[in-house]
Amino acid sequence: MTELEKGPKGERRGRGARERILSAAQQLFREQGISRTGMDQLCAAAQVSKRTAYQHFASKDELVTEYLRRFDPTVLSFAFDRTDLTARERMLAAFAVPPTTPLCPYIRTAVELDDPEHPGAQLARDHKLAVAARFAAAAREAGAVDPDELGEHLALLLDGATTRTRVLNADSFSTAAAIAVVLIDNAIPRTAGEV
């Protein structure tokens, strides 16, 4: 291998560069935000040249978009893809989030991006709509009178708990779960014989 084939740290170029860039983006975007992370810093963390970075991602916007695509592509699968739970239990399982979980990357990205037409902002919007749709599908299965409304309420509650937990550095998910129980109970009619 010639010196021209080596990257900034003497490592072979090309092998895993894309993954290193995405890994560095995930870490730096989470720790300091998208706006405060420059391409020079990102390239240094990924151990790639700027040229290599731009060969994999034509722009920082493209990198941000790919970074978001890596988060929960099935949307809250830890709760909604469980076959051992009823539909009602799956809705409540979505609130079983450790308080140490970082701020939702979609919320963080949407807040940082000024342009609502930015591909990252569009992905964030699509993700949030998908979360409400997953709640609505479970609500429909559970027999909710207005499953779309319940889905929207629960999605909003989950986002609020996520943000409040981060801002206050204290668990808000247990409170949100208690509120979710009330919303779900009020939205799903009781059958004869239920108390």
Side-chain angles (χ1 to χ4, degrees):
M1 174 167 43
T2 69
E3 286 302 311
L4 294 175
E5 292 175 304
K6 292 183 180 179
K9 300 271 183 174
E11 295 177 3
R12 187 181 176 110
R13 289 185 187 175
R15 297 211 180 250
R18 181 179 177 82
E19 283 306 310
R20 287 196 314 273
I21 295 165
L22 283 166
S23 219
Q26 185 171 357
Q27 177 187 349
L28 293 171
F29 291 168
R30 182 180 58 240
E31 289 174 0
Q32 61 192 31
I34 294 166
S35 302
R36 292 181 45 213
T37 301
M39 286 304 287
D40 287 333
Q41 181 186 24
L42 203 139
C43 290
Q47 299 180 355
V48 298
S49 67
K50 266 185 152 175
R51 180 174 181 241
T52 299
Y54 285 114
Q55 285 174 339
H56 290 282
F57 303 97
S59 66
K60 185 176 176 184
D61 289 345
E62 189 178 304
L63 175 59
V64 168
T65 302
E66 187 59 30
Y67 152 77
L68 286 176
R69 281 193 182 107
R70 297 184 143 226
F71 289 96
D72 198 9
T74 57
V75 184
L76 300 176
S77 59
F78 71 90
F80 290 110
D81 292 347
R82 291 187 58 183
T83 57
D84 61 322
L85 301 177
T86 66
R88 182 181 188 283
E89 290 169 335
R90 288 193 307 271
M91 287 185 278
L92 292 173
F95 292 90
V97 179
T100 55
T101 301
L103 180 63
C104 169
Y106 299 99
I107 292 173
R108 186 176 191 146
T109 300
V111 168
E112 282 200 61
L113 299 175
D114 292 332
D115 179 8
E117 299 307 313
H118 184 287
Q122 290 177 357
L123 270 176
R125 184 171 42 252
D126 291 347
H127 177 79
K128 292 304 173 184
L129 291 172
V131 168
R134 295 275 338 236
F135 274 119
R140 191 170 290 105
E141 183 184 338
V145 174
D146 189 342
D148 292 329
E149 180 179 85
L150 180 57
E152 187 60 35
H153 289 172
L154 293 173
L156 180 61
L157 182 61
L158 184 62
D159 282 342
T162 301
T163 305
R164 191 167 176 83
T165 294
R166 174 62 183 262
V167 170
L168 298 179
N169 197 26
D171 179 18
S172 294
F173 291 105
S174 56
T175 302
I179 295 168
V181 167
V182 173
L183 290 172
I184 291 167
D185 287 348
N186 287 337
I188 300 172
R190 297 187 188 279
T191 59
E194 281 187 330
V195 181

